[in-house]
Amino acid sequence: MLRPELEVKLELHHQIDILYSDHHGWLQGWLRRKLGNAFDAADLAHDTYLRILARGRAPQPEESRRHLAQIANGLVVDLFRRRHIEAAYADAIAAQPEAIVPTPEMRALIVETLLEIDAILASLPAKVRDAFLLCKLEGMAYADIAARLGVSVSSVEKYIARALLACCAAQFA
């Protein structure tokens, strides 16, 4: 007799096997049409099933395609966001003298860090994110940010504090 937790894991793997055999071809085709690239489609289809495994529950059979498409669509957004950030970073370092261009390993670390920062900023409300970026990237004073956003200086102080707290929380997570 199997332990209950092992039975649950075996059942999940069985459900995912069925999900995979029933829908993998459809998912990969859907992604290939969306991306125009079979290689990226294969990678994201694989990552979709990994996400389901990591969550520890398979969708109900009648919800399978909708669920797979929802996860895969999020992965597509992540892929495009990553490529946009990588391209912007490549443009930024292309303008630098060769002596200060980072190594490929350092570039990969920097891109990962930029992606983490992007995710943190994307999780913040628009005014918090805007205030933070205006302060840190544009060097604007709180009073100027307040005028631009149409809020009080104390609101800007709270927005900046909230953004910094989010950054610190991510650093220690």
Side-chain angles (χ1 to χ4, degrees):
M1 182 165 180
L2 295 174
R3 295 182 306 198
E5 63 271 3
L6 186 56
E7 285 182 26
V8 170
K9 284 184 181 183
L10 287 174
E11 178 59 27
L12 174 64
H13 284 274
H14 177 68
Q15 290 172 352
I16 291 176
D17 283 345
I18 292 169
L19 181 69
Y20 186 87
S21 64
D22 288 352
H23 301 290
H24 180 22
W26 168 83
L27 178 62
Q28 198 162 345
W30 183 81
L31 284 164
R32 189 173 44 254
R33 286 186 300 279
K34 195 167 189 74
L35 298 168
N37 177 323
F39 298 109
D40 289 336
D43 285 345
L44 293 187
H46 174 78
D47 291 349
T48 300
Y49 287 98
L50 287 177
R51 288 265 173 106
I52 292 171
L53 269 172
R55 288 182 181 167
R57 61 181 171 83
Q60 295 298 317
E62 64 275 5
E63 294 291 319
S64 295
R65 286 193 177 184
R66 186 189 65 75
H67 190 76
L68 289 168
Q70 185 177 18
I71 294 170
N73 198 50
L75 292 171
V76 168
V77 169
D78 291 347
L79 176 68
F80 287 146
R81 178 177 278 139
R82 178 183 190 88
R83 287 188 177 159
H84 177 75
I85 289 171
E86 287 173 340
Y89 180 65
D91 290 346
I93 63 169
Q96 299 297 318
E98 254 186 74
I100 60 171
V101 172
T103 65
E105 296 84 8
M106 185 58 71
R107 287 176 72 166
L109 288 172
I110 292 169
V111 167
E112 287 303 316
T113 302
L114 290 171
L115 287 166
E116 289 175 22
I117 293 167
D118 181 63
I120 294 165
L121 294 174
S123 73
L124 296 172
K127 284 191 177 185
V128 174
R129 180 178 52 251
D130 292 346
F132 182 72
L133 292 174
L134 289 170
C135 176
K136 297 301 177 185
L137 296 181
E138 303 293 328
M140 289 178 67
Y142 286 12
D144 296 331
I145 296 169
R148 165 116 26 121
L149 298 179
V151 298
S152 67
V153 173
S154 69
S155 289
V156 171
E157 291 169 348
K158 290 174 188 169
Y159 294 162
I160 302 295
R162 182 171 176 186
L164 290 171
L165 185 60
C167 292
C168 287
Q171 183 180 2
F172 296 109

